[in-house]
Amino acid sequence: LNRIKASGLKLRFCTNETQATREKFVKKLQGMGFDISVAEVTAPAPAACRILKERSLRPHLLVHDDLVPEFAEIDKANPNCVVIGDAAENFTYANMNEAFRVLIGMEKPVLISLGRGRYYKETDGLKLDVGAYMKALEYACDVQAEVVGKPAEMFFQSALAEMGVPPQQAIMIGDDIENDVGGAQRCGMRALQVRTGKYR
């Protein structure tokens, strides 16, 4: 990463991280020795906030407690949509059922997902990701979720726009064949899969 930065190439860190704010995410990476700033991170929560404001949507949040501060400026009274992220331990039956009730009570339910990953890898092994829970709500409410994070084309376009780079001049590097590689390729970018993390 230091060599890429020194070369003058433009760089964005595209993450589906939805268990922490960008600030906390960046602090963690800085603690590992990475030279990274919040401005270099493209993440789903800020993108979702833009959509919520543009469409005057008031979300019922089913997200990780540490991500809630990203939605501080969003009106959440009398929800007219559901925003789902990787809520980890907050994916209880009660919380899933509450989100279901909000959606099923709407004439035209709106479900916004901060990703659709199936699983991810942590130090103690693989863990279910938001996509599995998103699919449960889609099925129960007969609704199609609007995916804001990877592999959504809009997500990659947002990162490209921030850099001012056309897709054919960019390459996405990641360990996820669907969300990183597939999503980038569908957006017109080249992609490279690294053999670390969950590449298997």
Side-chain angles (χ1 to χ4, degrees):
L1 289 172
N2 288 338
R3 289 206 310 272
I4 290 171
K5 286 189 171 191
S7 75
L9 290 171
K10 294 179 180 178
L11 176 69
R12 277 294 177 281
F13 297 88
C14 297
T15 178
N16 267 5
E17 173 62 63
T18 59
Q19 286 194 12
T21 61
R22 283 171 299 159
E23 287 77 8
K24 192 171 180 181
F25 174 71
V26 164
K27 195 170 183 182
K28 177 182 174 183
L29 289 176
Q30 287 173 341
M32 296 176 181
F34 289 96
D35 175 20
I36 178 174
S37 68
V38 173
E40 294 174 302
V41 176
T42 302
C49 287
R50 283 194 298 272
I51 290 169
L52 294 169
K53 287 176 181 175
E54 286 168 8
R55 292 164 54 183
S56 300
L57 292 171
R58 301 176 306 277
H60 168 82
L61 296 176
L62 179 51
V63 299
H64 197 281
D65 290 340
D66 290 345
L67 191 69
V68 173
E70 290 273 20
F71 297 89
E73 296 178 17
I74 301 294
D75 181 8
K76 294 174 276 296
N78 190 23
N80 58 2
C81 73
V82 168
V83 172
I84 186 172
D86 181 12
E89 282 74 22
N90 285 346
F91 278 136
T92 62
Y93 176 79
N95 288 343
M96 283 292 289
N97 202 52
E98 190 178 355
F100 160 75
R101 286 177 171 172
V102 170
L103 287 169
I104 207 71
M106 297 177 195
E107 190 177 331
K108 291 183 179 177
V110 177
L111 174 61
I112 296 173
S113 184
L114 303 182
R116 73 166 194 215
R118 291 179 284 181
Y119 57 87
Y120 59 95
K121 186 175 182 180
E122 286 198 346
T123 51
D124 60 346
L126 298 176
K127 297 192 174 185
L128 276 177
D129 204 349
V130 64
Y133 300 94
M134 175 198 84
K135 287 291 183 185
L137 291 174
E138 282 186 332
Y139 176 66
C141 302
D142 194 25
V143 63
Q144 184 77 42
E146 299 175 41
V147 180
V148 177
K150 297 180 290 184
E153 194 171 316
M154 181 193 73
F155 184 83
F156 290 105
Q157 286 171 345
S158 178
L160 290 166
E162 288 167 11
M163 293 186 292
V165 173
Q168 61 271 20
Q169 291 182 13
I171 185 165
M172 173 70 193
I173 302 169
D175 67 350
D176 189 313
I177 193 70
E178 172 60 27
N179 291 334
D180 296 332
V181 174
Q185 288 175 336
R186 283 189 293 277
C187 190
M189 299 166 63
R190 287 186 296 169
L192 184 148
Q193 185 181 21
V194 292
R195 296 177 62 173
T196 57
K198 65 173 182 181
Y199 76 95
R200 289 179 183 87

